[in-house]
Amino acid sequence: MSLVCELTGKKRFKANKVSHSNIKTRRFKYPNLTKKKWKIQELNQTHTLTLSASALKIIDARGGIARAILEEKDGHLSDRLLRIKRDLVKRNRFAAIKAAASRIKEGSNEVEN
């Protein structure tokens, strides 16, 4: 299991362990990571992602995994999620073009009638 959150990019960081006698020794602190399986409805795909607890809260707050991926900065996303984001953007653009074309077609039918 990797030690990096795929959505937020959280990873281990250095901290000090302080003893009773105030001796500081270096240690690592790790994010609270879990593996979770998500179904992305827009792409009809299922992915198992390694996510932090805060990433789960972000997904819940943004209203789903697809929106959370689309709204997250590219620098935070893993390579897998960048590919998924690219596919989602492509799908959304295609849907927007299709919807605009149907609106134009409906508008031209109303003018003729």
Side-chain angles (χ1 to χ4, degrees):
M1 187 164 120
S2 67
L3 299 175
V4 179
C5 175
E6 293 188 63
L7 184 67
T8 59
K10 284 189 175 194
K11 56 186 176 185
R12 70 181 193 170
F13 65 95
K14 290 182 180 176
N16 285 326
K17 179 180 177 183
V18 182
S19 68
H20 179 67
S21 62
N22 208 23
I23 297 171
K24 294 165 185 72
T25 53
R26 298 301 277 173
R27 65 175 291 245
F28 289 107
K29 287 196 172 188
Y30 298 95
N32 182 9
L33 296 176
T34 58
K35 280 194 170 187
K36 184 138 172 68
K37 196 178 258 192
W38 289 93
K39 177 159 174 75
I40 301 173
Q41 297 289 339
E42 292 81 0
L43 301 175
N44 290 331
Q45 296 176 354
T46 304
H47 295 279
T48 302
L49 302 174
T50 303
L51 300 171
S52 63
S54 63
L56 294 174
K57 289 180 183 179
I58 289 171
I59 291 168
D60 189 41
R62 292 184 182 168
I65 184 73
R67 248 180 100 195
I69 292 171
L70 287 171
E71 291 179 7
E72 194 65 40
K73 294 178 183 175
D74 289 349
H76 295 168
L77 296 174
S78 66
D79 292 337
R80 266 189 349 158
L81 288 185
L82 280 172
R83 250 182 280 124
I84 293 170
K85 183 175 182 176
R86 187 181 66 228
D87 293 343
L88 284 169
V89 168
K90 248 190 247 179
R91 178 73 57 118
N92 287 343
R93 283 187 186 150
F94 178 72
I97 291 169
K98 197 172 178 183
S102 67
R103 274 186 266 138
I104 291 170
K105 191 182 256 188
E106 288 173 6
S108 64
N109 288 341
E110 290 175 5
V111 173
E112 291 173 2
N113 294 331

